[in-house]
Amino acid sequence: MIKKSFLKYGLFVLGIMCFSSQAFSAEAMNSCLECHKEKFSQDDAHAKKVVLCVDCHGGNPASLDVSIAMDTSKGFLGKPARADIPKFCARCHSDADYMKRYNPNIPTDQLSKYEVSQHGKLNALGDKKSAVCTSCHNAHNILAANNPASPTYALNVPNTCARCHSDKEYMKEYGIPTNQIDDYKESVHGQALLVKGDRSSPSCKNCHGNHDAGLPRAIYVGNICSQCHALTYDLFSKSPHKSAHDRLGIPECEACHGNHKIMKPSDDMLGTGLGAVCLKCHNPSSKGFKTALAIKNSIEDFKTEIAEAKESTSKAERLGMEVSDAQFDINEANNSLTKARTYIHSFSKEEVASVVGEGKSLAQKALMLAQKAIDKFNFRKKWYSLVILLIFVFSLALYFRIKMLEKK
Amino acid sequence: MDAPKIKDRLIKWVEENYHIEPFKDIVIKKQVPLHEYSAWYYFGGITLFLFIIQIITGILLLFYYKPTEGAAFESVRFIMTKVEFGWLIRSVHAWSANLMIFTVFIHIFSTFFLRSYRPPRELTWITGVFLFFMTLGIGFTGYLLPWNELSFFATKVGTQIAGSVPYVGGFLRTILRGGEEVSDATLGRFFACHIIVLPLCIFAVLGLHLAFVQLQGMSEPLSVKDRQEKKSIPFFPNFLLRDILAWMLALGVLASLAVYLPAELGKKVDPFVSTPAGIKPEWYFLWMFQTLKLIPSKIFIFDGEVIGILGFGVMGFILLILPFIDIWSRKEKKNLFLTLLGIFMLIFMIFMTVWGLIDKGRQ
């Protein structure tokens, strides 16, 4: 027993000694941390992959002597000039062969994209305020984009861009608006991303790019929106609007929906009433005006039919009737309404009418089922009255029979 | 003109071939006391009537019901929407179940207040309490069968509570659920218990209960027992006709509820979503559920829920052995404290049930 315990104790002490010596040697290998420890966190993407200070800044981290450790003649690079940062990072990040060892799927085109970006172009022209890698990713304590604390995490991107782009003083010399973030926050995309936390909702980078961030050419804006709204853009591309927009140089989707402040579309945007975007281009005598009116009427008629079906279904449901089939049809009709709203982008009253027609038949079916349920309830009521009458008559007869029996 | 002859011949044939004289005597000679509390006698009969309706409608539902996770909800929907009068059968089944449990409560409380369990009717009471427990069991197992959101999560919560019983809780929960979670296996065993196990047990115990009632007759309340002038009526046909009159009243109520408040289908369950807010058990378990919610999570070093469940267990056991521990009624005396305790219990149960019904908070 004593022998066993001694062996255990000995192994434990040996383990501690090994661990301590390893810790000591690791500490000794990166002498930079003696002075610069506060700049790093455990979550740093480089530190996690054991990419140390020396790998970016050079020098001799094995020495505690500053003159040896930071000897420029021995390859110490120090802090790069701001304008040089993209190339500084690209030494590794553009080297596909090198990067493969950390992540075989990591992109290595950041520098080439940056060079064509607005930021890169201004940087090349010597603009000292233009964004470089560290502006968005930080210089140290660089966090992976899937880390919720990272400035490049999907939910944080708008605010990261806004750090410069909503700063009026900082952006003054560029002559571009600084209200994008405020507009975006109000938009349907901003609400989905920032309020509902839907990370699939687009933010600045989805339209402007990230490393190649720049102004999207308004004339091609449809290609950006179509990344998500594929059917809508397909319908638009086949419509007469496409050639008209191209010819007149009118931005595609943006002409009606705006850019940063894209609000949830409403049916008021359609037709010829107050708030209708069609009126921006079409005057009352034009064919487009008549088409807009026809499409609007078609959609409104359809909505009325769905509302009627819903009302009857609710009434039947309040009466306690089983109306799940009618409710299913109403849901399907609502899907058709959504489809019809998408088909508005064909700007063809015939195509919209075709989709509306399918939906209307569903709404009518739901209305019929609901009406049938109400009729059934009324039928039950009639029979119920008869049954109650029979029970009453039978009970009355029983009552008198009992009275007669007990009189005896 | 031939009808009486056929009737007489039929009776004669039965009497000659089957020796029913002793039974006939019991029925014909049996007298039912008539007094100001006689109305409470009818609730046993109404409960029996509702049980018969349960059996008939239950069999009809079995023609279409499919007890599997994938088909249960759809089969109930089919019964409600496509089967001719399916809505009526299911509504009558659901409402008669609720009414039956309600009348069982009335029957058991009236028996308690009238001290009808006193000797020599201890076994009538014990079989009655077993019937009460089994009625709650048949209600609990039947509630899951439509496999809708409400029934699924109420069963999940109910079986979870059963799992809190000390020592045997985990085993009990696994036995009830047929596994770790409420699933197809739970539905299968609840179905089997609902249509076979519990009805067979009920038939057996009900047979005994009715036999005891017929053999020993109706109990007279203590306040009536010593009266000089006592009234009574023959069981057959007078009391039976009165019973049928009460059944007609119950049938009228049942028809009204089935037509104006048909049983709901609910929303098909998604077992992967978390328990929605406002999930409650059926009304007859609500007073216990609400009480458990009020008990602090820790009482000294003990788990509050465990204390609550043990408390209900003790109450059930006391209810079962009541004829033997009520020493006053054994001496033909009424004890005011016991009556007050019963009134307190009744008010407490009603209050907690109403509170549970109106409580909209997260359960």
Side-chain angles (χ1 to χ4, degrees), chain A residues 187-244:
Chain A
S187 76
V188 66
H189 297 137
Q191 290 285 308
L193 183 81
L194 303 171
V195 179
K196 293 180 187 164
D198 177 359
R199 286 186 293 157
S200 65
S201 181
S203 63
C204 320
K205 69 182 170 68
N206 295 80
C207 300
H208 294 279
N210 42 25
H211 299 107
D212 55 347
L215 282 171
R217 290 194 187 171
I219 199 76
Y220 303 131
V221 80
N223 289 329
I224 295 167
C225 304
S226 68
Q227 298 301 311
C228 298
H229 302 279
L231 176 62
T232 313
Y233 189 64
D234 186 47
L235 291 164
F236 176 87
S237 301
K238 290 173 188 162
S239 78
H241 271 189
K242 171 69 179 163
S243 56

Side-chain angles (χ1 to χ4, degrees), chain B residues 278-293:
Chain B
I279 286 293
K280 298 169 188 176
E282 278 282 72
W283 63 270
Y284 38 89
F285 290 119
L286 211 49
W287 72 274
M288 288 193 271
F289 184 67
Q290 199 67 13
T291 309
L292 283 178
K293 276 166 63 182

Side-chain angles (χ1 to χ4, degrees), chain B residues 117-134:
Chain B
Y117 52 76
R118 65 188 194 279
R121 293 182 178 80
E122 295 98 322
L123 283 179
T124 318
W125 171 266
I126 289 172
T127 49
V129 172
F130 274 120
L131 284 172
F132 169 63
F133 292 153
M134 285 189 285

Side-chain angles (χ1 to χ4, degrees), chain A residues 24-263:
Chain A
F24 179 76
S25 63
E27 211 40 37
M29 278 171 69
N30 197 0
S31 60
C32 315
L33 295 178
E34 291 295 318
C35 303
H36 303 289
K37 203 167 189 172
E38 77 286 351
K39 287 184 176 173
F40 298 93
S41 84
Q42 285 184 331
D43 291 331
D44 183 275
H46 290 133
K48 274 183 166 177
K49 300 281 184 191
V50 205
V51 176
L52 303 175
C53 314
V54 63
D55 296 307
C56 296
H57 298 284
N60 182 0
S63 173
L64 285 167
D65 184 338
V66 174
S67 62
I68 298 169
M70 300 170 81
D71 185 355
T72 49
S73 66
K74 296 258 172 69
F76 178 69
L77 296 170
K79 182 182 177 183
R82 182 184 165 84
D84 297 335
I85 288 174
K87 282 182 180 154
F88 188 82
C89 300
R91 288 177 306 153
C92 296
H93 281 276
S94 290
D95 185 339
D97 192 41
Y98 176 79
M99 292 305 290
K100 204 183 274 181
R101 73 182 71 177
Y102 299 109
N103 180 352
N105 298 317
I106 198 166
T108 50
D109 58 353
Q110 294 95 333
L111 181 66
S112 57
K113 280 187 167 177
Y114 176 77
E115 282 169 347
V116 296
S117 74
Q118 193 68 13
H119 296 140
K121 282 177 191 165
L122 289 171
N123 187 39
L125 290 171
D127 183 344
K128 290 194 168 61
K129 287 163 70 180
S130 179
V132 290
C133 315
T134 53
S135 310
C136 302
H137 295 283
N138 297 335
H140 301 106
N141 195 18
I142 298 166
L143 304 176
N146 60 6
N147 184 328
S150 167
T152 56
Y153 183 66
L155 299 187
N156 301 333
V157 166
N159 286 324
T160 300
C161 300
R163 289 203 300 232
C164 299
H165 282 275
S166 66
D167 186 335
K168 281 182 187 156
E169 195 53 40
Y170 195 82
M171 299 302 292
K172 199 160 65 182
E173 65 194 83
Y174 301 104
I176 59 171
T178 51
N179 61 344
Q180 299 96 326
I181 184 73
D182 296 329
D183 283 353
Y184 176 76
K185 279 179 179 170
E186 280 183 53
S187 76
V188 66
H189 297 137
Q191 290 285 308
L193 183 81
L194 303 171
V195 179
K196 293 180 187 164
D198 177 359
R199 286 186 293 157
S200 65
S201 181
S203 63
C204 320
K205 69 182 170 68
N206 295 80
C207 300
H208 294 279
N210 42 25
H211 299 107
D212 55 347
L215 282 171
R217 290 194 187 171
I219 199 76
Y220 303 131
V221 80
N223 289 329
I224 295 167
C225 304
S226 68
Q227 298 301 311
C228 298
H229 302 279
L231 176 62
T232 313
Y233 189 64
D234 186 47
L235 291 164
F236 176 87
S237 301
K238 290 173 188 162
S239 78
H241 271 189
K242 171 69 179 163
S243 56
H245 278 238
D246 288 349
R247 200 172 57 248
L248 300 168
I250 302 167
E252 297 177 329
C253 317
E254 192 191 344
C256 299
H257 295 282
N259 44 36
H260 300 110
K261 198 176 180 176
I262 298 169
M263 304 307 283

Side-chain angles (χ1 to χ4, degrees), chain A residues 319-384:
Chain A
L319 293 172
M321 302 302 290
E322 165 51 38
V323 282
S324 52
D325 282 345
Q327 278 161 340
F328 180 81
D329 287 331
I330 288 173
N331 285 344
E332 287 296 300
N334 276 323
N335 288 342
S336 292
L337 179 61
T338 306
K339 192 177 167 188
R341 281 168 176 154
T342 304
Y343 268 73
I344 287 167
H345 298 91
S346 68
F347 306 104
S348 154
K349 57 184 179 191
E350 289 78 17
E351 283 203 51
V352 174
S354 155
V355 178
V356 164
E358 286 168 27
K360 270 186 174 179
S361 65
L362 287 163
Q364 282 156 6
K365 192 178 154 210
L367 182 69
M368 188 196 75
L369 287 170
Q371 199 52 54
K372 221 172 161 182
I374 294 168
D375 292 345
K376 218 176 198 179
F377 178 77
N378 292 330
F379 172 78
R380 285 179 192 182
K381 265 201 323 190
K382 275 182 202 161
W383 279 98
Y384 164 76

